[in-house]
Amino acid sequence: MAHRHPSRLNAEHVTHPSARRLLKAELANCTECRASGDAEALRHPDVLDSLLRGFVLKRAAQWRDRHSRYPTALYDLAPPAELRLLSAPTREAARLCVIGSRSGDRVDTTAALDELEAMTAAERRRVLDDIVDALLEGEG
Ligand SMILES: [Zn+2]
């Protein structure tokens, strides 16, 4: 049954409790909780959105430079070497995530979520894996 994983998790941009629970399960490498967390994220758009927003804000902060202009798609901030690390469906989603300003207080994921909805389950899963990997980078 449900149990908790006590773990420090920063991921300050990820706010949804289920999304944070999934990240903690990944950090703890708990097969059971990872499976249920993945299933929840793939079933509930608000959980996926929370993870996607956290991903966009984290990468935008890492990838922007003083020449970055807004609004911009996350894709356009990404160094080519970083884009090559992402799966094709994640690159597609990154094209559709719009960052409104340097502070990142306006992030529009609507079009990206629509695109995710239209993807196959396997593609959606690859995007989730990429997002979770990025969010956990530097954690644990
Ligand atoms: Zn667990």
Side-chain angles (χ1 to χ4, degrees):
M1 265 316 286
H3 55 266
R4 297 177 64 86
H5 293 285
S7 73
R8 287 186 298 277
L9 175 71
N10 296 320
E12 68 273 16
H13 299 303
V14 178
T15 53
H16 196 293
S18 299
R20 296 190 66 83
R21 208 155 44 234
L22 166 59
L23 293 176
K24 286 182 179 178
E26 292 278 346
L27 275 180
N29 210 10
C30 175
T31 310
E32 181 192 347
C33 294
R34 287 169 66 192
S36 67
D38 280 353
E40 197 172 3
L42 294 169
R43 201 169 46 237
H44 297 291
D46 51 336
V47 179
L48 194 56
D49 188 39
S50 184
L51 292 164
L52 185 59
R53 281 174 184 278
F55 168 73
V56 171
L57 288 168
K58 181 172 186 174
R59 286 307 193 216
Q62 292 170 333
W63 291 345
R64 73 188 172 202
D65 61 33
R66 61 200 171 85
H67 303 296
S68 300
R69 291 175 180 264
Y70 300 88
T72 181
L74 180 65
Y75 186 94
D76 294 321
L77 289 180
E82 295 283 344
L83 284 176
R84 280 196 293 274
L85 299 176
L86 300 174
S87 67
T90 308
R91 282 198 294 272
E92 197 51 45
R95 272 183 228 278
L96 297 170
C97 290
V98 178
I99 302 145
S101 67
R102 184 176 183 84
S103 65
D105 53 355
R106 281 179 295 129
V107 171
D108 189 346
T109 55
T110 314
L113 285 175
D114 286 349
E115 181 65 24
L116 280 164
E117 196 66 33
M119 286 178 182
T120 66
E123 288 169 334
R124 211 158 32 238
R125 153 87 42 178
R126 279 209 294 282
V127 176
L128 179 62
D129 286 346
D130 282 347
I131 289 174
V132 168
D133 281 352
L135 286 169
L136 291 181
E137 197 184 273
E139 300 265 0

